[in-house]
Amino acid sequence: FDANPAVLSPGEPFWANYVKGVVKQYTQDLPEGHKFAFKAVFASNVPLGAGLSSSAAIEVAMATLLEEITRKPTEGPAKALRCQAAEHEYAAMPC
């Protein structure tokens, strides 16, 4: 998907909205006019939709990757709050 913050929006496949939402949350850490550009593959044995926080796992993994890319680690509960905002705004999941 295009990570340009001006066009980044929820869509299909639905599970990608969790990733897109986190990317959107971390675009504020980039210099103006920049966007994320990377390729990523996720591998997990957490079952999707099994009530085992699979969405939180992918969000925190993505947040950690973006923090490494930007070299700006998130302090305290800020990472959790960014991931929660991503879930609310992009996956429309109240958590």
Side-chain angles (χ1 to χ4, degrees):
F1 60 84
D2 188 343
N4 181 342
V7 298
L8 190 61
S9 62
E12 294 295 327
F14 180 78
W15 69 265
N17 293 328
Y18 296 102
V19 174
K20 290 178 182 180
V22 174
V23 169
K24 182 70 172 187
Q25 290 295 314
Y26 278 83
T27 57
Q28 66 194 17
D29 294 341
L30 295 173
E32 190 170 331
H34 287 79
K35 67 178 183 178
F36 288 110
F38 59 87
K39 293 183 180 183
V41 175
F42 293 97
S44 172
N45 59 3
V46 177
L48 293 175
L52 299 173
S53 299
S54 58
S55 60
I58 198 167
E59 289 163 353
V60 171
M62 174 83 327
T64 302
L65 172 65
L66 298 177
E67 289 173 1
E68 287 295 317
I69 290 171
T70 62
R71 298 191 185 277
K72 293 183 180 180
T74 304
E75 300 292 327
K79 183 187 291 191
L81 292 172
R82 284 182 173 192
C83 292
Q84 183 183 42
E87 194 148 340
H88 288 179
E89 296 169 16
Y90 274 73
M93 294 292 176
C95 57

